[in-house]
Amino acid sequence: MKVILKRILFLLAVIGIWQLVYSLGVYEKIVFPGPLQVGEALITGFTTGDFLNALGASFRHLFSGLSLAILFGTILGVILGKSKQADETAGMYLIALQSIPSIVWVPLAIMLFGFSEFAVVFVVVLGGTFVMALNVRSAIHSVPPQLVRAARTMGTNGLSLFFRVEIPSSVPYFMSGLRLAWAFSWRALMAGELLSNGPGLGYSLRYAQDYARMDQVIGIIIIIGVIGAVVDQLVFSKLEKNVMKRWGLLKT
């Protein structure tokens, strides 16, 4: 309760400073709307259904892209983790690809798929695949050698060793990869939708900016941030902590 109270007080302080800057007229009101104007824009956007439709489209793009990113990233990570030759050749380029900002892939996506929803999903897939692959590769490399040696001593080899020893030992790192893949895919989604023809939150953000509706712009930014924080804290963070606790890796 103390933590929740601190967070609420901090949020109220931020809103108070925001209102103060607005009231002092530091910036023009059309450029810097106040909390009440942004609140009204949020209420209007949800009551008319515009924000709900944009959210539905964004989550559709996200689930499609994130699912493929997890699949491709896991396969690629396993290959790099199990094959020394693949890791020594392609492994070094994986870090370079992961360091490329998601928005850089947007022109390529548009050239390949045009201004379509496939282009947005393509950007999301690239945004999550490489970070997922890096974590899966690290997970396999982090399997304690003594576990592998003990399993081989008891006659476990090949695929049986992989599924019965290496995969269970890698689960905590795999969960960390899922959490990062979600975060990177969510950012990539916004980058892709910003330059798309809609629908989606990113497209709605650009549309509001084109018509100088800064109250809507700030409102959509708040929605994007809140969704990112809520999903991370209520879904992926809890899953990761539960797995870490079950595997005895969480400090108490």
Side-chain angles (χ1 to χ4, degrees), residues 62 65-66 69 124-125 127-129 180-190:
L62 178 68
L66 181 58
V124 175
V125 172
T129 295
L180 288 173
W182 142 257
F184 277 77
S185 295
W186 181 244
R187 296 173 187 174
L189 172 66
M190 293 303 114

Side-chain angles (χ1 to χ4, degrees), residues 140-163:
I140 294 176
H141 286 169
S142 299
V143 176
Q146 58 268 28
L147 290 181
V148 177
R149 289 195 296 266
R152 286 174 176 169
T153 301
M154 292 183 285
T156 303
N157 293 289
L159 289 176
S160 180
L161 176 67
F162 178 69
F163 286 105

Side-chain angles (χ1 to χ4, degrees), residues 202-218:
Y203 171 75
S204 299
L205 180 64
R206 193 193 71 189
Y207 184 86
Q209 182 262 328
D210 289 342
Y211 286 88
R213 288 298 308 275
M214 292 306 296
D215 52 348
Q216 289 187 2
V217 169
I218 296 176

Side-chain angles (χ1 to χ4, degrees), residues 54-91:
L55 271 172
S58 290
F59 276 114
R60 185 174 68 249
H61 300 153
L62 178 68
F63 290 144
S64 300
L66 181 58
S67 300
L68 292 174
I70 293 172
L71 175 62
F72 296 153
T74 300
I75 294 173
L76 182 58
V78 169
I79 293 173
L80 295 176
K82 295 294 294 181
S83 173
K84 184 178 179 180
Q85 296 298 327
D87 192 30
E88 290 178 346
T89 53

Side-chain angles (χ1 to χ4, degrees), residues 6-240:
K6 288 180 181 179
R7 290 176 179 176
I8 293 175
L9 291 175
F10 176 77
L11 179 60
L12 291 175
V14 171
I15 295 176
I17 295 173
W18 178 5
Q19 179 62 43
L20 178 62
V21 173
Y22 172 77
S23 300
L24 292 174
V26 178
Y27 301 99
E28 294 184 11
K29 294 184 178 180
I30 193 174
V31 177
F32 190 81
L36 292 179
Q37 287 71 27
V38 173
E40 291 175 359
L42 285 170
I43 293 172
T44 302
F46 280 111
T47 53
T48 59
D50 293 340
F51 287 170
L52 291 176
N53 293 332
L55 271 172
S58 290
F59 276 114
R60 185 174 68 249
H61 300 153
L62 178 68
F63 290 144
S64 300
L66 181 58
S67 300
L68 292 174
I70 293 172
L71 175 62
F72 296 153
T74 300
I75 294 173
L76 182 58
V78 169
I79 293 173
L80 295 176
K82 295 294 294 181
S83 173
K84 184 178 179 180
Q85 296 298 327
D87 192 30
E88 290 178 346
T89 53
M92 63 172 293
Y93 300 107
L94 189 63
I95 298 176
L97 290 169
Q98 191 271 326
S99 65
I100 297 176
S102 300
I103 199 168
V104 175
W105 297 111
V106 174
L108 175 62
I110 293 175
M111 292 295 295
L112 292 175
F113 304 103
F115 290 95
S116 66
E117 294 187 53
F118 290 105
V120 177
V121 174
F122 177 77
V123 174
V124 175
V125 172
L126 292 180
T129 295
F130 302 126
V131 67
M132 188 70 198
L134 283 171
N135 277 271
V136 172
R137 183 187 69 169
S138 298
I140 294 176
H141 286 169
S142 299
V143 176
Q146 58 268 28
L147 290 181
V148 177
R149 289 195 296 266
R152 286 174 176 169
T153 301
M154 292 183 285
T156 303
N157 293 289
L159 289 176
S160 180
L161 176 67
F162 178 69
F163 286 105
R164 297 178 64 183
V165 177
E166 293 181 318
I167 286 184
S169 181
S170 303
V171 169
Y173 301 93
F174 181 81
M175 294 306 302
S176 298
L178 282 180
R179 187 178 181 183
L180 288 173
W182 142 257
F184 277 77
S185 295
W186 181 244
R187 296 173 187 174
L189 172 66
M190 293 303 114
E193 288 183 345
L194 270 173
L195 299 180
S196 71
N197 284 339
L201 279 177
Y203 171 75
S204 299
L205 180 64
R206 193 193 71 189
Y207 184 86
Q209 182 262 328
D210 289 342
Y211 286 88
R213 288 298 308 275
M214 292 306 296
D215 52 348
Q216 289 187 2
V217 169
I218 296 176
I220 294 172
I221 291 173
I222 291 173
I223 293 173
I224 294 171
V226 168
I227 291 176
V230 169
V231 172
D232 180 76
Q233 291 296 317
L234 296 184
V235 181
F236 292 101
S237 179
K238 285 192 174 182
L239 283 174
E240 185 180 16

